[in-house]
mmCIF file of all heavy atoms in Angstrom:
data_model
loop_
_atom_site.group_PDB
_atom_site.id
_atom_site.type_symbol
_atom_site.label_atom_id
_atom_site.label_comp_id
_atom_site.label_asym_id
_atom_site.label_seq_id
_atom_site.Cartn_x
_atom_site.Cartn_y
_atom_site.Cartn_z
ATOM 1 N N ASP E 15 4.780 38.565 16.138
ATOM 2 C CA ASP E 15 3.827 39.473 16.779
ATOM 3 C C ASP E 15 3.868 40.871 16.169
ATOM 4 O O ASP E 15 2.849 41.479 15.908
ATOM 5 C CB ASP E 15 4.101 39.571 18.285
ATOM 6 C CG ASP E 15 3.715 38.288 18.999
ATOM 7 O OD1 ASP E 15 3.191 37.382 18.325
ATOM 8 O OD2 ASP E 15 3.942 38.183 20.215
ATOM 9 N N GLU E 35 0.567 22.901 10.849
ATOM 10 C CA GLU E 35 0.084 22.119 11.987
ATOM 11 C C GLU E 35 -0.779 20.925 11.558
ATOM 12 O O GLU E 35 -0.593 19.802 12.030
ATOM 13 C CB GLU E 35 -0.727 23.052 12.897
ATOM 14 C CG GLU E 35 -1.238 22.386 14.164
ATOM 15 C CD GLU E 35 -1.999 23.355 15.072
ATOM 16 O OE1 GLU E 35 -2.171 24.541 14.704
ATOM 17 O OE2 GLU E 35 -2.427 22.903 16.144
ATOM 18 N N TRP E 36 -1.725 21.141 10.641
ATOM 19 C CA TRP E 36 -2.649 20.068 10.240
ATOM 20 C C TRP E 36 -1.900 18.958 9.506
ATOM 21 O O TRP E 36 -2.233 17.784 9.628
ATOM 22 C CB TRP E 36 -3.782 20.647 9.398
ATOM 23 C CG TRP E 36 -4.791 21.353 10.265
ATOM 24 C CD1 TRP E 36 -5.932 20.787 10.778
ATOM 25 C CD2 TRP E 36 -4.744 22.696 10.759
ATOM 26 N NE1 TRP E 36 -6.591 21.716 11.560
ATOM 27 C CE2 TRP E 36 -5.900 22.887 11.563
ATOM 28 C CE3 TRP E 36 -3.852 23.748 10.600
ATOM 29 C CZ2 TRP E 36 -6.179 24.091 12.209
ATOM 30 C CZ3 TRP E 36 -4.131 24.953 11.246
ATOM 31 C CH2 TRP E 36 -5.274 25.117 12.033
ATOM 32 N N VAL E 120 -6.399 19.583 6.946
ATOM 33 C CA VAL E 120 -7.682 20.237 6.661
ATOM 34 C C VAL E 120 -7.456 21.585 5.984
ATOM 35 O O VAL E 120 -8.172 21.972 5.067
ATOM 36 C CB VAL E 120 -8.492 20.440 7.964
ATOM 37 C CG1 VAL E 120 -9.649 21.404 7.765
ATOM 38 C CG2 VAL E 120 -8.991 19.111 8.490
ATOM 39 N N GLN E 121 -6.458 22.312 6.456
ATOM 40 C CA GLN E 121 -6.171 23.628 5.900
ATOM 41 C C GLN E 121 -4.714 23.960 6.165
ATOM 42 O O GLN E 121 -4.074 23.320 6.981
ATOM 43 C CB GLN E 121 -7.057 24.695 6.550
ATOM 44 C CG GLN E 121 -6.829 24.817 8.046
ATOM 45 C CD GLN E 121 -7.640 25.925 8.711
ATOM 46 O OE1 GLN E 121 -8.661 26.335 8.216
ATOM 47 N NE2 GLN E 121 -7.161 26.398 9.847
ATOM 48 N N VAL E 145 -12.149 16.884 7.047
ATOM 49 C CA VAL E 145 -12.168 17.109 8.499
ATOM 50 C C VAL E 145 -12.311 15.772 9.240
ATOM 51 O O VAL E 145 -13.267 15.527 9.975
ATOM 52 C CB VAL E 145 -13.248 18.121 8.936
ATOM 53 C CG1 VAL E 145 -12.978 18.619 10.354
ATOM 54 C CG2 VAL E 145 -13.308 19.307 7.984
ATOM 55 N N GLU E 161 -15.408 15.440 11.909
ATOM 56 C CA GLU E 161 -15.765 16.279 13.043
ATOM 57 C C GLU E 161 -16.629 17.437 12.565
ATOM 58 O O GLU E 161 -16.156 18.319 11.869
ATOM 59 C CB GLU E 161 -14.482 16.797 13.681
ATOM 60 C CG GLU E 161 -14.727 17.578 14.932
ATOM 61 C CD GLU E 161 -13.444 18.242 15.369
ATOM 62 O OE1 GLU E 161 -13.129 19.311 14.831
ATOM 63 O OE2 GLU E 161 -12.763 17.673 16.218
ATOM 64 N N GLN E 181 -7.806 16.336 10.497
ATOM 65 C CA GLN E 181 -8.021 17.340 11.533
ATOM 66 C C GLN E 181 -7.058 17.094 12.699
ATOM 67 O O GLN E 181 -6.717 15.937 13.000
ATOM 68 C CB GLN E 181 -9.490 17.256 11.992
ATOM 69 C CG GLN E 181 -9.876 18.112 13.191
ATOM 70 C CD GLN E 181 -9.778 19.599 12.934
ATOM 71 O OE1 GLN E 181 -8.764 20.097 12.450
ATOM 72 N NE2 GLN E 181 -10.823 20.328 13.286
ATOM 73 N N THR E 182 -6.649 18.160 13.347
ATOM 74 C CA THR E 182 -5.790 18.019 14.526
ATOM 75 C C THR E 182 -6.515 17.186 15.583
ATOM 76 O O THR E 182 -7.742 17.126 15.593
ATOM 77 C CB THR E 182 -5.450 19.388 15.147
ATOM 78 O OG1 THR E 182 -6.663 20.022 15.547
ATOM 79 C CG2 THR E 182 -4.710 20.287 14.170
ATOM 80 N N VAL D 96 -18.229 22.806 7.914
ATOM 81 C CA VAL D 96 -17.547 21.516 7.759
ATOM 82 C C VAL D 96 -18.104 20.770 6.544
ATOM 83 O O VAL D 96 -17.364 20.142 5.797
ATOM 84 C CB VAL D 96 -17.658 20.671 9.047
ATOM 85 C CG1 VAL D 96 -17.080 19.281 8.821
ATOM 86 C CG2 VAL D 96 -16.916 21.349 10.189
ATOM 87 N N LEU D 99 -16.720 22.433 3.450
ATOM 88 C CA LEU D 99 -15.339 21.986 3.216
ATOM 89 C C LEU D 99 -15.325 20.639 2.502
ATOM 90 O O LEU D 99 -14.360 20.275 1.846
ATOM 91 C CB LEU D 99 -14.587 21.831 4.550
ATOM 92 C CG LEU D 99 -14.231 23.103 5.321
ATOM 93 C CD1 LEU D 99 -13.672 22.761 6.700
ATOM 94 C CD2 LEU D 99 -13.214 23.935 4.557
ATOM 95 N N GLU D 134 -3.586 33.213 9.910
ATOM 96 C CA GLU D 134 -4.378 33.091 11.140
ATOM 97 C C GLU D 134 -4.989 34.423 11.546
ATOM 98 O O GLU D 134 -4.915 34.829 12.692
ATOM 99 C CB GLU D 134 -3.521 32.484 12.250
ATOM 100 C CG GLU D 134 -3.010 31.116 11.819
ATOM 101 C CD GLU D 134 -2.011 30.492 12.756
ATOM 102 O OE1 GLU D 134 -0.995 31.158 13.034
ATOM 103 O OE2 GLU D 134 -2.246 29.357 13.186
ATOM 104 N N LYS D 136 -4.107 37.365 10.968
ATOM 105 C CA LYS D 136 -3.242 38.504 11.271
ATOM 106 C C LYS D 136 -3.207 39.501 10.123
ATOM 107 O O LYS D 136 -2.893 40.659 10.330
ATOM 108 C CB LYS D 136 -1.829 38.038 11.606
ATOM 109 C CG LYS D 136 -1.750 37.457 13.004
ATOM 110 C CD LYS D 136 -0.317 37.328 13.428
ATOM 111 C CE LYS D 136 -0.217 36.802 14.835
ATOM 112 N NZ LYS D 136 1.180 36.596 15.193
ATOM 113 N N VAL D 205 -8.026 28.637 28.721
ATOM 114 C CA VAL D 205 -6.578 28.639 28.511
ATOM 115 C C VAL D 205 -6.248 28.128 27.110
ATOM 116 O O VAL D 205 -6.903 27.221 26.603
ATOM 117 C CB VAL D 205 -5.877 27.817 29.617
ATOM 118 C CG1 VAL D 205 -6.384 26.371 29.647
ATOM 119 C CG2 VAL D 205 -4.361 27.815 29.443
ATOM 120 N N GLY D 206 -5.245 28.738 26.500
ATOM 121 C CA GLY D 206 -4.838 28.344 25.153
ATOM 122 C C GLY D 206 -3.374 27.958 25.086
ATOM 123 O O GLY D 206 -2.709 27.790 26.113
ATOM 124 N N ARG D 207 -2.897 27.844 23.865
ATOM 125 C CA ARG D 207 -1.549 27.320 23.620
ATOM 126 C C ARG D 207 -0.455 28.162 24.272
ATOM 127 O O ARG D 207 0.658 27.674 24.478
ATOM 128 C CB ARG D 207 -1.321 27.231 22.106
ATOM 129 C CG ARG D 207 -0.002 26.641 21.697
ATOM 130 C CD ARG D 207 -0.112 25.729 20.517
ATOM 131 N NE ARG D 207 -0.815 26.362 19.415
ATOM 132 C CZ ARG D 207 -1.224 25.694 18.322
ATOM 133 N NH1 ARG D 207 -0.988 24.423 18.190
ATOM 134 N NH2 ARG D 207 -1.857 26.329 17.376
ATOM 135 N N GLY D 208 -0.772 29.410 24.604
ATOM 136 C CA GLY D 208 0.202 30.237 25.290
ATOM 137 C C GLY D 208 0.693 29.633 26.606
ATOM 138 O O GLY D 208 1.729 30.044 27.124
ATOM 139 N N ILE D 209 0.006 28.654 27.131
ATOM 140 C CA ILE D 209 0.398 28.043 28.409
ATOM 141 C C ILE D 209 1.614 27.123 28.241
ATOM 142 O O ILE D 209 2.286 26.764 29.210
ATOM 143 C CB ILE D 209 -0.803 27.291 29.044
ATOM 144 C CG1 ILE D 209 -0.592 27.046 30.540
ATOM 145 C CG2 ILE D 209 -1.108 25.995 28.325
ATOM 146 C CD1 ILE D 209 -0.685 28.276 31.383
ATOM 147 N N GLU D 210 1.890 26.753 27.018
ATOM 148 C CA GLU D 210 3.119 26.035 26.635
ATOM 149 C C GLU D 210 3.247 24.587 27.095
ATOM 150 O O GLU D 210 3.560 23.702 26.307
ATOM 151 C CB GLU D 210 4.382 26.798 27.068
ATOM 152 C CG GLU D 210 4.604 28.046 26.256
ATOM 153 C CD GLU D 210 5.703 28.925 26.815
ATOM 154 O OE1 GLU D 210 6.462 28.488 27.688
ATOM 155 O OE2 GLU D 210 5.768 30.078 26.341
ATOM 156 N N SER D 231 -11.002 25.694 27.570
ATOM 157 C CA SER D 231 -9.767 25.860 26.792
ATOM 158 C C SER D 231 -10.042 25.994 25.303
ATOM 159 O O SER D 231 -11.139 25.735 24.823
ATOM 160 C CB SER D 231 -8.833 24.666 27.018
ATOM 161 O OG SER D 231 -9.221 23.581 26.205
ATOM 162 N N SER D 232 -9.000 26.369 24.589
ATOM 163 C CA SER D 232 -9.032 26.323 23.130
ATOM 164 C C SER D 232 -8.644 24.906 22.718
ATOM 165 O O SER D 232 -8.272 24.069 23.529
ATOM 166 C CB SER D 232 -8.058 27.339 22.536
ATOM 167 O OG SER D 232 -6.734 26.945 22.815
ATOM 168 N N ARG D 233 -8.715 24.677 21.451
ATOM 169 C CA ARG D 233 -8.542 23.340 20.921
ATOM 170 C C ARG D 233 -7.171 22.675 21.148
ATOM 171 O O ARG D 233 -7.126 21.480 21.458
ATOM 172 C CB ARG D 233 -8.838 23.408 19.424
ATOM 173 C CG ARG D 233 -8.585 22.147 18.731
ATOM 174 C CD ARG D 233 -9.133 22.139 17.329
ATOM 175 N NE ARG D 233 -9.100 20.769 16.931
ATOM 176 C CZ ARG D 233 -10.119 20.101 16.459
ATOM 177 N NH1 ARG D 233 -11.257 20.701 16.291
ATOM 178 N NH2 ARG D 233 -10.005 18.840 16.158
ATOM 179 N N PRO D 234 -6.063 23.402 20.956
ATOM 180 C CA PRO D 234 -4.772 22.704 21.090
ATOM 181 C C PRO D 234 -4.583 22.023 22.446
ATOM 182 O O PRO D 234 -3.896 21.004 22.544
ATOM 183 C CB PRO D 234 -3.746 23.827 20.889
ATOM 184 C CG PRO D 234 -4.439 24.840 20.053
ATOM 185 C CD PRO D 234 -5.868 24.801 20.509
ATOM 186 N N ILE D 235 -5.192 22.586 23.487
ATOM 187 C CA ILE D 235 -5.061 22.004 24.820
ATOM 188 C C ILE D 235 -5.761 20.642 24.868
ATOM 189 O O ILE D 235 -5.280 19.689 25.492
ATOM 190 C CB ILE D 235 -5.680 22.972 25.871
ATOM 191 C CG1 ILE D 235 -5.068 24.367 25.751
ATOM 192 C CG2 ILE D 235 -5.595 22.418 27.281
ATOM 193 C CD1 ILE D 235 -3.573 24.433 25.948
ATOM 194 N N ASP D 237 -6.457 18.822 22.043
ATOM 195 C CA ASP D 237 -5.716 17.966 21.108
ATOM 196 C C ASP D 237 -4.518 17.310 21.797
ATOM 197 O O ASP D 237 -4.178 16.169 21.525
ATOM 198 C CB ASP D 237 -5.194 18.788 19.919
ATOM 199 C CG ASP D 237 -6.288 19.118 18.909
ATOM 200 O OD1 ASP D 237 -7.344 18.455 18.931
ATOM 201 O OD2 ASP D 237 -6.084 20.038 18.098
ATOM 202 N N GLN D 246 -13.561 22.019 25.618
ATOM 203 C CA GLN D 246 -13.179 22.817 24.441
ATOM 204 C C GLN D 246 -14.281 23.792 24.023
ATOM 205 O O GLN D 246 -15.418 23.413 23.809
ATOM 206 C CB GLN D 246 -12.856 21.903 23.270
ATOM 207 C CG GLN D 246 -12.439 22.681 22.014
ATOM 208 C CD GLN D 246 -12.091 21.759 20.868
ATOM 209 O OE1 GLN D 246 -11.415 20.761 21.047
ATOM 210 N NE2 GLN D 246 -12.548 22.092 19.672
ATOM 211 N N VAL D 247 -13.876 25.038 23.900
ATOM 212 C CA VAL D 247 -14.780 26.086 23.435
ATOM 213 C C VAL D 247 -14.536 26.315 21.949
ATOM 214 O O VAL D 247 -13.384 26.395 21.520
ATOM 215 C CB VAL D 247 -14.498 27.397 24.200
ATOM 216 C CG1 VAL D 247 -15.301 28.554 23.615
ATOM 217 C CG2 VAL D 247 -14.813 27.225 25.684
ATOM 218 N N GLY D 248 -15.594 26.399 21.156
ATOM 219 C CA GLY D 248 -15.382 26.739 19.758
ATOM 220 C C GLY D 248 -16.349 26.061 18.821
ATOM 221 O O GLY D 248 -17.304 25.421 19.242
ATOM 222 N N GLN D 249 -16.050 26.225 17.550
ATOM 223 C CA GLN D 249 -16.888 25.693 16.484
ATOM 224 C C GLN D 249 -17.129 24.199 16.645
ATOM 225 O O GLN D 249 -18.245 23.728 16.532
ATOM 226 C CB GLN D 249 -16.184 25.969 15.151
ATOM 227 C CG GLN D 249 -16.829 25.335 13.956
ATOM 228 C CD GLN D 249 -15.945 25.474 12.732
ATOM 229 O OE1 GLN D 249 -15.524 26.561 12.373
ATOM 230 N NE2 GLN D 249 -15.653 24.362 12.080
ATOM 231 N N SER D 250 -16.057 23.462 16.875
ATOM 232 C CA SER D 250 -16.222 22.018 17.020
ATOM 233 C C SER D 250 -16.347 21.622 18.489
ATOM 234 O O SER D 250 -16.545 20.461 18.808
ATOM 235 C CB SER D 250 -15.066 21.275 16.355
ATOM 236 O OG SER D 250 -13.834 21.859 16.695
ATOM 237 N N GLY D 251 -16.234 22.583 19.367
ATOM 238 C CA GLY D 251 -16.413 22.314 20.791
ATOM 239 C C GLY D 251 -17.753 22.855 21.259
ATOM 240 O O GLY D 251 -18.762 22.710 20.577
ATOM 241 N N LYS D 252 -17.746 23.490 22.427
ATOM 242 C CA LYS D 252 -18.999 24.008 22.981
ATOM 243 C C LYS D 252 -19.151 25.492 22.685
ATOM 244 O O LYS D 252 -18.174 26.232 22.608
ATOM 245 C CB LYS D 252 -18.992 23.811 24.507
ATOM 246 C CG LYS D 252 -18.983 22.345 24.924
ATOM 247 C CD LYS D 252 -20.367 21.877 25.307
ATOM 248 C CE LYS D 252 -20.503 20.376 25.347
ATOM 249 N NZ LYS D 252 -20.055 19.746 26.566
ATOM 250 N N VAL D 262 -6.902 33.289 28.278
ATOM 251 C CA VAL D 262 -5.508 33.383 28.700
ATOM 252 C C VAL D 262 -4.615 32.670 27.690
ATOM 253 O O VAL D 262 -4.687 31.451 27.547
ATOM 254 C CB VAL D 262 -5.334 32.732 30.099
ATOM 255 C CG1 VAL D 262 -3.895 32.886 30.583
ATOM 256 C CG2 VAL D 262 -6.310 33.317 31.097
ATOM 257 N N GLY D 263 -3.819 33.438 26.940
ATOM 258 C CA GLY D 263 -2.915 32.814 25.959
ATOM 259 C C GLY D 263 -3.678 32.159 24.824
ATOM 260 O O GLY D 263 -3.302 31.103 24.340
ATOM 261 N N ILE D 264 -4.765 32.795 24.391
ATOM 262 C CA ILE D 264 -5.587 32.314 23.264
ATOM 263 C C ILE D 264 -5.550 33.389 22.183
ATOM 264 O O ILE D 264 -5.803 34.558 22.471
ATOM 265 C CB ILE D 264 -7.040 32.058 23.723
ATOM 266 C CG1 ILE D 264 -7.082 30.856 24.684
ATOM 267 C CG2 ILE D 264 -7.967 31.832 22.526
ATOM 268 C CD1 ILE D 264 -8.464 30.549 25.239
ATOM 269 N N SER D 265 -5.261 32.978 20.943
ATOM 270 C CA SER D 265 -5.101 33.981 19.886
ATOM 271 C C SER D 265 -6.438 34.531 19.395
ATOM 272 O O SER D 265 -6.514 35.659 18.921
ATOM 273 C CB SER D 265 -4.333 33.383 18.703
ATOM 274 O OG SER D 265 -5.078 32.330 18.115
ATOM 275 N N GLY D 266 -7.492 33.711 19.488
ATOM 276 C CA GLY D 266 -8.789 34.174 18.994
ATOM 277 C C GLY D 266 -9.022 33.798 17.547
ATOM 278 O O GLY D 266 -9.571 34.570 16.772
ATOM 279 N N ALA D 267 -8.610 32.578 17.186
ATOM 280 C CA ALA D 267 -8.881 32.064 15.841
ATOM 281 C C ALA D 267 -10.394 32.035 15.626
ATOM 282 O O ALA D 267 -11.156 31.871 16.580
ATOM 283 C CB ALA D 267 -8.310 30.656 15.687
ATOM 284 N N VAL D 268 -10.795 32.174 14.365
ATOM 285 C CA VAL D 268 -12.216 32.277 14.053
ATOM 286 C C VAL D 268 -13.012 31.095 14.610
ATOM 287 O O VAL D 268 -14.126 31.271 15.115
ATOM 288 C CB VAL D 268 -12.423 32.440 12.534
ATOM 289 C CG1 VAL D 268 -11.687 31.382 11.755
ATOM 290 C CG2 VAL D 268 -13.885 32.413 12.171
ATOM 291 N N GLN D 269 -12.434 29.905 14.562
ATOM 292 C CA GLN D 269 -13.185 28.744 15.050
ATOM 293 C C GLN D 269 -13.305 28.752 16.571
ATOM 294 O O GLN D 269 -14.194 28.129 17.132
ATOM 295 C CB GLN D 269 -12.522 27.430 14.624
ATOM 296 C CG GLN D 269 -12.442 27.231 13.113
ATOM 297 C CD GLN D 269 -11.128 27.684 12.545
ATOM 298 O OE1 GLN D 269 -10.346 28.357 13.216
ATOM 299 N NE2 GLN D 269 -10.858 27.322 11.307
ATOM 300 N N HIS D 270 -12.394 29.419 17.237
ATOM 301 C CA HIS D 270 -12.517 29.553 18.691
ATOM 302 C C HIS D 270 -13.576 30.608 19.016
ATOM 303 O O HIS D 270 -14.474 30.373 19.834
ATOM 304 C CB HIS D 270 -11.178 29.921 19.328
ATOM 305 C CG HIS D 270 -11.252 29.981 20.821
ATOM 306 N ND1 HIS D 270 -11.246 28.840 21.593
ATOM 307 C CD2 HIS D 270 -11.421 31.017 21.677
ATOM 308 C CE1 HIS D 270 -11.382 29.183 22.880
ATOM 309 N NE2 HIS D 270 -11.494 30.498 22.942
ATOM 310 N N VAL D 271 -13.463 31.735 18.336
ATOM 311 C CA VAL D 271 -14.379 32.847 18.586
ATOM 312 C C VAL D 271 -15.836 32.426 18.363
ATOM 313 O O VAL D 271 -16.740 32.865 19.072
ATOM 314 C CB VAL D 271 -13.988 34.051 17.701
ATOM 315 C CG1 VAL D 271 -15.054 35.125 17.721
ATOM 316 C CG2 VAL D 271 -12.651 34.624 18.170
ATOM 317 N N ILE D 283 -5.788 38.043 27.969
ATOM 318 C CA ILE D 283 -4.397 38.262 28.390
ATOM 319 C C ILE D 283 -3.535 37.602 27.328
ATOM 320 O O ILE D 283 -3.614 36.385 27.126
ATOM 321 C CB ILE D 283 -4.106 37.633 29.773
ATOM 322 C CG1 ILE D 283 -5.048 38.213 30.827
ATOM 323 C CG2 ILE D 283 -2.633 37.833 30.155
ATOM 324 C CD1 ILE D 283 -4.926 37.542 32.202
ATOM 325 N N ASN D 284 -2.749 38.414 26.627
ATOM 326 C CA ASN D 284 -1.982 37.875 25.506
ATOM 327 C C ASN D 284 -0.767 38.768 25.268
ATOM 328 O O ASN D 284 -0.870 39.990 25.354
ATOM 329 C CB ASN D 284 -2.872 37.839 24.251
ATOM 330 C CG ASN D 284 -2.299 36.934 23.175
ATOM 331 O OD1 ASN D 284 -1.154 37.074 22.773
ATOM 332 N ND2 ASN D 284 -3.116 36.001 22.720
ATOM 333 N N THR D 285 0.352 38.132 24.945
ATOM 334 C CA THR D 285 1.575 38.906 24.691
ATOM 335 C C THR D 285 1.529 39.655 23.361
ATOM 336 O O THR D 285 2.274 40.605 23.166
ATOM 337 C CB THR D 285 2.817 37.981 24.654
ATOM 338 O OG1 THR D 285 2.471 36.814 23.911
ATOM 339 C CG2 THR D 285 3.281 37.604 26.041
ATOM 340 N N ASP D 286 0.675 39.207 22.442
ATOM 341 C CA ASP D 286 0.661 39.783 21.102
ATOM 342 C C ASP D 286 -0.431 40.844 20.979
ATOM 343 O O ASP D 286 -1.613 40.520 20.964
ATOM 344 C CB ASP D 286 0.427 38.646 20.092
ATOM 345 C CG ASP D 286 0.320 39.142 18.659
ATOM 346 O OD1 ASP D 286 0.506 40.359 18.433
ATOM 347 O OD2 ASP D 286 0.053 38.318 17.779
ATOM 348 N N ALA D 289 -3.094 40.143 18.396
ATOM 349 C CA ALA D 289 -3.878 38.904 18.426
ATOM 350 C C ALA D 289 -5.348 39.238 18.177
ATOM 351 O O ALA D 289 -5.885 40.182 18.756
ATOM 352 C CB ALA D 289 -3.698 38.196 19.762
ATOM 353 N N PRO D 290 -6.005 38.484 17.288
ATOM 354 C CA PRO D 290 -7.407 38.771 16.953
ATOM 355 C C PRO D 290 -8.354 38.777 18.163
ATOM 356 O O PRO D 290 -9.398 39.413 18.107
ATOM 357 C CB PRO D 290 -7.789 37.637 15.982
ATOM 358 C CG PRO D 290 -6.525 37.002 15.543
ATOM 359 C CD PRO D 290 -5.440 37.386 16.485
ATOM 360 N N ILE D 291 -7.974 38.120 19.225
ATOM 361 C CA ILE D 291 -8.841 38.077 20.409
ATOM 362 C C ILE D 291 -9.108 39.491 20.932
ATOM 363 O O ILE D 291 -10.184 39.786 21.443
ATOM 364 C CB ILE D 291 -8.219 37.195 21.538
ATOM 365 C CG1 ILE D 291 -9.205 36.938 22.676
ATOM 366 C CG2 ILE D 291 -6.948 37.795 22.126
ATOM 367 C CD1 ILE D 291 -10.190 35.863 22.439
ATOM 368 N N GLY D 301 0.329 41.297 27.784
ATOM 369 C CA GLY D 301 1.386 40.921 28.704
ATOM 370 C C GLY D 301 1.556 39.430 28.797
ATOM 371 O O GLY D 301 0.765 38.659 28.231
ATOM 372 N N ASP D 302 2.600 39.047 29.497
ATOM 373 C CA ASP D 302 2.976 37.646 29.643
ATOM 374 C C ASP D 302 2.102 37.002 30.720
ATOM 375 O O ASP D 302 2.103 37.443 31.879
ATOM 376 C CB ASP D 302 4.453 37.588 30.049
ATOM 377 C CG ASP D 302 4.973 36.166 30.103
ATOM 378 O OD1 ASP D 302 4.160 35.220 30.190
ATOM 379 O OD2 ASP D 302 6.208 36.004 30.071
ATOM 380 N N LEU D 303 1.387 35.984 30.344
ATOM 381 C CA LEU D 303 0.478 35.341 31.296
ATOM 382 C C LEU D 303 1.228 34.822 32.518
ATOM 383 O O LEU D 303 0.674 34.775 33.618
ATOM 384 C CB LEU D 303 -0.330 34.230 30.613
ATOM 385 C CG LEU D 303 0.352 32.901 30.266
ATOM 386 C CD1 LEU D 303 0.185 31.874 31.394
ATOM 387 C CD2 LEU D 303 -0.263 32.321 29.003
ATOM 388 N N PHE D 304 2.489 34.435 32.320
ATOM 389 C CA PHE D 304 3.244 33.889 33.450
ATOM 390 C C PHE D 304 3.598 34.961 34.482
ATOM 391 O O PHE D 304 3.957 34.670 35.608
ATOM 392 C CB PHE D 304 4.514 33.173 32.958
ATOM 393 C CG PHE D 304 4.177 31.974 32.121
ATOM 394 C CD1 PHE D 304 4.330 32.003 30.744
ATOM 395 C CD2 PHE D 304 3.662 30.828 32.717
ATOM 396 C CE1 PHE D 304 3.996 30.904 29.969
ATOM 397 C CE2 PHE D 304 3.317 29.720 31.946
ATOM 398 C CZ PHE D 304 3.484 29.767 30.565
HETATM 399 C C1 FAD F 1 -12.500 22.713 11.196
HETATM 400 C C2 FAD F 1 -11.811 23.331 12.379
HETATM 401 C C3 FAD F 1 -12.452 23.363 13.618
HETATM 402 C C4 FAD F 1 -11.824 23.961 14.723
HETATM 403 N N1 FAD F 1 -12.481 23.996 15.922
HETATM 404 C C5 FAD F 1 -11.924 24.670 16.970
HETATM 405 C C6 FAD F 1 -12.605 24.807 18.218
HETATM 406 O O1 FAD F 1 -13.729 24.324 18.406
HETATM 407 N N2 FAD F 1 -11.993 25.497 19.213
HETATM 408 C C7 FAD F 1 -10.742 26.060 19.080
HETATM 409 O O2 FAD F 1 -10.259 26.680 20.032
HETATM 410 N N3 FAD F 1 -10.074 25.908 17.930
HETATM 411 C C8 FAD F 1 -10.624 25.227 16.881
HETATM 412 N N4 FAD F 1 -9.910 25.089 15.719
HETATM 413 C C9 FAD F 1 -8.474 25.480 15.720
HETATM 414 C C10 FAD F 1 -8.220 26.946 15.527
HETATM 415 O O3 FAD F 1 -8.108 27.214 14.144
HETATM 416 C C11 FAD F 1 -6.890 27.387 16.204
HETATM 417 O O4 FAD F 1 -5.852 26.565 15.733
HETATM 418 C C12 FAD F 1 -6.935 27.321 17.723
HETATM 419 O O5 FAD F 1 -8.102 27.939 18.233
HETATM 420 C C13 FAD F 1 -5.721 28.016 18.278
HETATM 421 O O6 FAD F 1 -5.704 27.888 19.677
HETATM 422 P P1 FAD F 1 -4.902 28.910 20.600
HETATM 423 O O7 FAD F 1 -5.461 30.272 20.452
HETATM 424 O O8 FAD F 1 -4.886 28.342 21.973
HETATM 425 O O9 FAD F 1 -3.421 28.790 20.031
HETATM 426 P P2 FAD F 1 -2.574 29.818 19.167
HETATM 427 O O10 FAD F 1 -3.323 30.293 17.997
HETATM 428 O O11 FAD F 1 -1.246 29.174 18.985
HETATM 429 O O12 FAD F 1 -2.444 31.070 20.137
HETATM 430 C C14 FAD F 1 -1.683 31.107 21.297
HETATM 431 C C15 FAD F 1 -1.706 32.545 21.776
HETATM 432 O O13 FAD F 1 -1.016 32.628 23.007
HETATM 433 C C16 FAD F 1 -0.269 33.823 23.034
HETATM 434 N N5 FAD F 1 0.829 33.628 23.983
HETATM 435 C C17 FAD F 1 1.935 32.869 23.830
HETATM 436 N N6 FAD F 1 2.696 32.915 24.935
HETATM 437 C C18 FAD F 1 2.046 33.720 25.822
HETATM 438 C C19 FAD F 1 2.321 34.164 27.140
HETATM 439 N N7 FAD F 1 3.417 33.783 27.803
HETATM 440 N N8 FAD F 1 1.437 34.990 27.742
HETATM 441 C C20 FAD F 1 0.310 35.408 27.087
HETATM 442 N N9 FAD F 1 0.004 35.010 25.838
HETATM 443 C C21 FAD F 1 0.858 34.173 25.208
HETATM 444 C C22 FAD F 1 0.187 34.029 21.609
HETATM 445 O O14 FAD F 1 0.478 35.390 21.366
HETATM 446 C C23 FAD F 1 -1.024 33.531 20.831
HETATM 447 O O15 FAD F 1 -1.900 34.589 20.516
HETATM 448 C C24 FAD F 1 -10.515 24.496 14.606
HETATM 449 C C25 FAD F 1 -9.880 24.436 13.361
HETATM 450 C C26 FAD F 1 -10.509 23.877 12.251
HETATM 451 C C27 FAD F 1 -9.801 23.864 10.946
#
Side-chain angles (χ1 to χ4, degrees):
Chain E
D15 289 357
E35 183 178 2
W36 283 266
V120 166
Q121 62 177 24
V145 196
E161 185 189 82
Q181 173 65 310
T182 61
Chain D
V96 174
L99 290 172
E134 301 173 305
K136 284 194 178 176
V205 58
R207 183 140 51 190
I209 199 71
E210 289 170 13
S231 81
S232 68
R233 175 169 194 127
I235 306 301
D237 284 342
Q246 180 179 317
V247 173
Q249 173 189 307
S250 46
K252 295 260 164 83
V262 183
I264 292 178
S265 64
V268 51
Q269 298 95 348
H270 184 78
V271 169
I283 302 174
N284 197 306
T285 43
D286 177 4
I291 190 81
D302 185 341
L303 74 92
F304 296 105

